Every structure is written in structure tokens, then in C-alpha cells.
Amino acid sequence: MTTMRVDKAFKEPVCFIKKLEDTSVIVGQPLKLVCTYTGSQRVHVTWKKDDKLIWASYQYNVLTTNSTCSLEVLYSDRPEASGKYSCEISNEAGRDVCHAHVTLGKGTSNNLPTAFHSSANLPKNYPHFLRWCMIILISLLTENNSNSLFNTGNMKQSLLQT
């Protein structure tokens, strides 16, 4: 009796299609790193920051599908969020790795009036109604975004004093 050896089905090595890219984000804005890959399933995904393993926690959300892996940094307003991020994928047939350097910067939004970009306040001779509107708007911005990019506290304080 002859025994036949049956080889395992062909396994395609994993390979990134879209790699991580170096990025700079404004402090307080969402930071999400995404890459896509191809290859035979049973893919193992590993994330690292500055060459140290990271995983889903109070600091990070990790999502992996059959072709995508993403890492969301939950505290991107902290200086520790900047650094070198790496994503490594592997399966029985191979492995691939990609990296991105993330820097955090202070910035402003270009679609808001200049008054919001600094603690420079409205002139004292602004009509009362417009001053009141600005106080309401500043309050809403501060309330809805506790990590506001705008120095609204000084502006609000100054407006209330006049």
C-alpha cells in the first residue's frame, strides 16, 4: 500500500497594499493610523510604538479586518502620542512591516475668524449684541470640545469683564 503525501494548500504571504505614512497632527485632533494588506488568512497583526508592543487599552483602539488594520490613539493631545509607530503582519507564509513617524503640532483651523486663534480679544467698542454672540459661540466651542485648539478661556473672560 502506497501512502500519498498531500501538501497544504498554497498560502499567499501577507503584504501591505497601503502602508502607514508619516504624519503630523494638530494637538487634540483624532489620530488614526490605517494600512491595508493582502495574503492568506489567519493573519496576525502586531502594533508597536517606539519599538515597544502596544495593544487595545485606554490609550489605543485596535481594529483588524480581513484586509485592514487600524490603530486609533485616544490621547493624541499628549506629547507621548508622537513617535515611531509600526505595524507588523504575519501568516504561515511570511511577514511584512511598515512604519510611520507621528509628530504633534499646535495649529489652528483656517475656517474660523482670526479672533479665535489667539487670546487677542474683540475690541472694547464692539456692539453689545455682537459681544454677546461671541460669548455664546465661545461657550459652545468650549463646551463641545474640551480639547479645544482655541484659547477661548481668556477670550471669554475678557468679554465678560467688559
Side-chain angles (χ1 to χ4, degrees):
M1 180 181 245
T2 312
T3 41
M4 293 180 66
R5 183 175 168 193
V6 177
D7 289 328
K8 290 182 179 179
F10 174 74
K11 295 284 186 177
E12 179 187 357
V14 289
C15 178
F16 283 107
I17 297 170
K18 179 183 175 279
K19 294 184 176 194
L20 297 175
E21 297 178 0
D22 291 352
T23 187
S24 179
V25 294
I26 297 172
V27 173
Q29 292 298 304
L31 172 55
K32 189 171 186 178
L33 303 171
V34 180
C35 46
T36 58
Y37 60 88
T38 186
S40 296
Q41 283 308 301
R42 299 294 270 169
V43 175
H44 180 72
V45 178
T46 304
W47 286 96
K48 293 181 182 180
K49 180 183 177 293
D50 298 327
D51 298 320
K52 295 178 184 170
L53 283 173
I54 57 175
W55 51 88
S57 67
Y58 68 95
Q59 291 180 318
Y60 305 102
N61 276 338
V62 176
L63 176 65
T64 303
T65 68
N66 288 339
S67 62
T68 304
C69 45
S70 65
L71 175 73
E72 181 180 11
V73 179
L74 300 176
Y75 293 100
S76 61
D77 58 338
R78 296 183 182 168
E80 297 84 31
S82 63
K84 176 185 166 190
Y85 288 84
S86 304
C87 182
E88 181 180 319
I89 53 174
S90 61
N91 66 6
E92 289 180 356
R95 69 184 276 281
D96 199 2
V97 65
C98 62
H99 311 279
H101 291 278
V102 173
T103 56
L104 296 179
K106 293 184 179 181
T108 57
S109 175
N110 293 331
N111 59 0
L112 289 171
T114 307
F116 287 104
H117 296 288
S118 70
S119 59
N121 300 306
L122 294 172
K124 301 245 185 242
N125 61 355
Y126 249 53
H128 181 72
F129 176 75
L130 290 178
R131 187 175 298 278
W132 179 81
C133 289
M134 292 301 290
I135 291 170
I136 297 299
L137 183 58
I138 291 167
S139 296
L140 290 172
L141 282 172
T142 305
E143 228 174 78
N144 292 332
N145 185 2
S146 60
N147 295 327
S148 177
L149 298 175
F150 316 112
N151 190 351
T152 55
N154 291 344
M155 290 170 44
K156 187 176 176 182
Q157 184 91 12
S158 175
L159 289 170
L160 288 171
Q161 290 174 354
T162 58

